[in-house]
Amino acid sequence: VKEYLNEKKLLKDKKIERVVFNEITKKAVIFGIDNPRQIEPLLVDAYMARRALDYLVGFNISPILWTKLPGSKSAGRVQSVALKLITEREHEIELFNPEEFWTLSVNFSDDNKNSLLASIYQLNGKKIEKFSFRNKNEINKAIDEVKSKKFEISDISSKVVSRNPSGPFTTSTLQQVSSGRLGFGASRTMQIAQKLYQGIEIDGETIGLITYMRTDGTNLSKDAISSFRDYIKNEFGKEYLPESPLNYSGKKAKNAQEAHEAIRPTDIMRAPNTLKKYLSSDQHKLYDLIWCRALSSQMESAKFDRNTITIISSEKETVCKASGSVIKFDGFLKVIKDNKKDDEEDLLPEMSKGPVNIEKLLDEQHFTQPPPRYSEASLVKKLEELGIGRPSTYASIISVISTRGYAEAINKRFHPTDRGKLISAFLEKLFSKY
């Protein structure tokens, strides 16, 4: 717009500034207008570079595809790489040879009928690795050896371990978690987030509930952090508040421009349960996810008591270990329902040092698994790790791969179609330079 107005000579003696705001709230818009900035040439250059690549790939390579592989629609700068990842993974799966391995655990009991399941850590002075037992014969030999030994509990130790909260959402982490927790695809997540950002009508006023949802930054504004900290102190108490604000900007994605802050509620006082009647159920689920993740990112770590019982054989050559953890202080887990297993308290029975008997030995056969096919979430994660594409484009790129018939989603995993494999091989052979 500025260039165009310049050509028309309409900008003589006029001061040009750029106004930026990351959330559609009265306060943010007024603040943006009060604090304008100049157009940033570096960000404009980044855009020009992307556009040049789009032209090179889209305008020069796509037409070759149309003539050589009829029915193929396009080769885009990001979609071609995404397709390459999917076809490479398929190739790995086709070449994969499963390997057999066995695991052994032992059920011990003491004189008070307490029983304990322990895994073998060391056998006859040799540390047990994943492939220590490769077949039924080897595991049977190990079982006979363990059976012939006498065991006792040699050590019961306890230490406190912490688990830290995750940083607030960026576009890609929001798409990944929303896919895992809520089962929303990337484009559905983005559509709901767009609505929450643009604004929801609450008591006759339209209010933007979250900050801008296309971002690769994990930083939060100072205002937001201080309001989060007040909220944590008042709602949960001092012990849930870290001494100083937590900062997540060290964990940068490759090439992140960080032009916007992380995704967070515009006002933490609007707790999800107070908005239920204004939001659809999907909107409420996503807002709840964003609200909890942002608030918990400024809370104290959770602390667990991790107990380990070590059982050794009389000749000290064979060692078994059992461990369990009990939550000691819930910290950020008070807000976030985490699906990770270690929140369920795996309590170890009260046992004391001394001899124990073997109740039974449990051997299990396993086979190594091929690498999994990409889901929307893992594809987004991989593209971001490689620094390919921008957060705002992931959802549309993933849908392009499906709608053009280059890959199909079966059970939420991408399988490349024959056409997809062909295009990928074609591009790789003839345009590896690009």
Side-chain angles (χ1 to χ4, degrees):
V1 171
K2 184 185 166 189
E3 302 279 320
Y4 180 79
L5 294 173
N6 254 338
E7 280 171 25
K8 295 274 179 266
K9 305 205 168 30
L10 294 171
L11 292 183
K12 277 207 175 80
D13 318 321
K14 288 193 174 61
K15 193 174 166 203
I16 300 289
E17 290 173 321
R18 176 143 163 62
V19 170
V20 178
F21 47 87
N22 290 330
E23 56 189 76
I24 304 183
T25 54
K26 189 172 174 183
K27 188 173 139 193
V29 174
I30 290 172
F31 181 81
I33 293 171
D34 287 344
N35 297 279
R37 63 173 174 83
Q38 297 303 307
I39 287 177
E40 274 190 46
L42 288 174
L43 289 176
V44 177
D45 289 346
Y47 150 71
M48 298 294 261
R50 287 196 302 274
R51 198 172 67 167
L53 275 176
D54 279 339
Y55 285 166
L56 277 170
V57 177
F59 290 15
N60 295 328
I61 297 180
S62 290
I64 299 173
L65 277 185
W66 304 334
T67 53
K68 301 291 178 203
L69 304 173
S72 305
K73 307 274 193 315
S74 66
R77 107 185 115 85
V78 181
Q79 80 181 42
S80 301
V81 185
L83 182 60
K84 178 180 153 111
L85 290 172
I86 293 171
T87 50
E88 277 178 356
R89 177 59 52 92
E90 198 65 26
H91 191 58
E92 284 173 47
I93 293 170
E94 283 162 8
L95 295 178
F96 182 79
N97 268 329
E99 286 187 70
E100 180 182 11
F101 67 100
W102 289 69
T103 53
L104 182 61
S105 38
V106 190
N107 217 333
F108 290 105
S109 63
D110 64 7
D111 300 338
N112 304 332
K113 297 279 173 280
N114 285 322
S115 83
L116 175 73
L117 187 66
S119 18
I120 293 216
Y121 179 74
Q122 180 181 318
L123 181 61
N124 295 335
K126 271 174 64 182
K127 193 167 185 285
I128 298 300
E129 309 282 351
K130 182 175 178 176
F131 290 113
S132 291
F133 311 122
R134 282 184 172 273
N135 52 42
K136 187 77 177 135
N137 291 341
E138 291 181 12
I139 200 89
N140 287 343
K141 209 173 110 192
I143 289 174
D144 293 338
E145 286 183 13
V146 172
K147 273 186 183 160
S148 65
K149 299 179 191 300
K150 292 266 179 287
F151 286 92
E152 60 173 279
I153 293 181
S154 67
D155 183 51
I156 300 174
S157 65
S158 169
K159 67 170 188 204
V160 176
V161 286
S162 297
R163 207 168 101 212
N164 302 327
S166 305
F169 283 130
T170 58
T171 305
S172 92
T173 51
L174 176 66
Q175 288 175 10
Q176 290 165 46
V177 173
S178 160
S179 164
R181 293 268 169 87
L182 308 175
F184 293 175
S187 35
R188 183 169 166 205
T189 299
M190 292 312 281
Q191 281 162 355
I192 301 166
Q194 176 82 34
K195 192 79 192 91
L196 292 172
Y197 165 69
Q198 282 177 342
I200 300 285
E201 193 160 308
I202 295 174
D203 301 333
E205 191 186 351
T206 302
I207 296 174
L209 295 180
I210 60 168
T211 54
Y212 193 50
M213 64 283 146
R214 297 199 171 103
T215 172
D216 49 22
T218 43
N219 49 318
L220 294 169
S221 71
K222 288 197 172 62
D223 279 357
I225 288 179
S226 67
S227 71
F228 285 15
R229 287 178 65 83
D230 292 344
Y231 187 89
I232 294 166
K233 197 163 121 190
N234 299 334
E235 289 291 318
F236 306 115
K238 274 204 197 65
E239 65 274 28
Y240 285 91
L241 190 68
E243 276 176 35
S244 55
L246 303 176
N247 179 10
Y248 295 93
S249 51
K251 307 186 176 82
K252 281 194 173 134
K254 198 169 165 181
N255 302 351
Q257 291 185 355
E258 303 208 330
H260 305 285
E261 60 173 313
I263 307 172
R264 61 165 175 85
T266 50
D267 180 356
I268 201 70
M269 299 309 283
R270 293 195 191 98
N273 51 1
T274 61
L275 296 179
K276 222 167 180 157
K277 59 177 184 231
Y278 305 107
L279 300 175
S280 72
S281 91
D282 282 2
Q283 288 169 348
H284 182 262
K285 281 179 191 161
L286 195 69
Y287 179 70
D288 183 56
L289 200 65
I290 293 168
W291 188 90
C292 290
R293 175 81 166 227
L295 183 65
S296 70
S297 75
Q298 289 302 320
M299 289 174 76
E300 225 2 305
S301 306
K303 306 232 179 331
F304 295 88
D305 263 334
R306 189 151 182 81
N307 303 318
T308 306
I309 294 181
T310 308
I311 300 160
I312 62 170
S313 59
S314 44
E315 85 293 355
K316 313 261 189 292
E317 290 285 292
T318 299
V319 182
C320 301
K321 285 187 177 180
S323 54
S325 49
V326 187
I327 202 161
K328 193 177 168 186
F329 170 64
D330 55 2
F332 75 96
L333 295 172
K334 196 167 189 71
V335 175
I336 212 152
K337 309 289 173 288
D338 212 322
N339 295 354
K340 283 199 180 152
K341 248 193 30 247
D342 38 72
D343 301 351
E344 292 145 32
E345 311 185 356
D346 8 328
L347 280 166
L348 293 178
E350 286 294 323
M351 290 175 110
S352 43
K353 292 185 183 180
V356 283
N357 308 312
I358 296 178
E359 261 186 18
K360 59 173 187 266
L361 288 115
L362 308 163
D363 55 333
E364 256 187 285
Q365 182 186 35
H366 309 269
F367 289 95
T368 53
Q369 295 298 313
R373 291 185 176 88
Y374 288 105
S375 62
E376 278 198 14
S378 57
L379 189 59
V380 164
K381 187 176 183 186
K382 187 68 180 168
L383 287 169
E384 188 185 38
E385 271 170 22
L386 297 170
I388 289 158
R390 283 172 313 145
S392 54
T393 57
Y394 291 143
S396 58
I397 289 205
I398 286 171
S399 63
V400 162
I401 293 175
S402 311
T403 50
R404 301 212 164 137
Y406 298 165
E408 50 190 353
I410 304 171
N411 295 335
K412 297 198 170 176
R413 298 274 170 184
F414 286 115
H415 295 243
T417 57
D418 291 344
R419 161 162 291 149
K421 290 178 183 170
L422 193 65
I423 288 179
S424 213
F426 180 81
L427 292 175
E428 189 139 337
K429 191 145 180 62
L430 300 174
F431 303 104
S432 53
K433 180 173 157 191
Y434 303 107

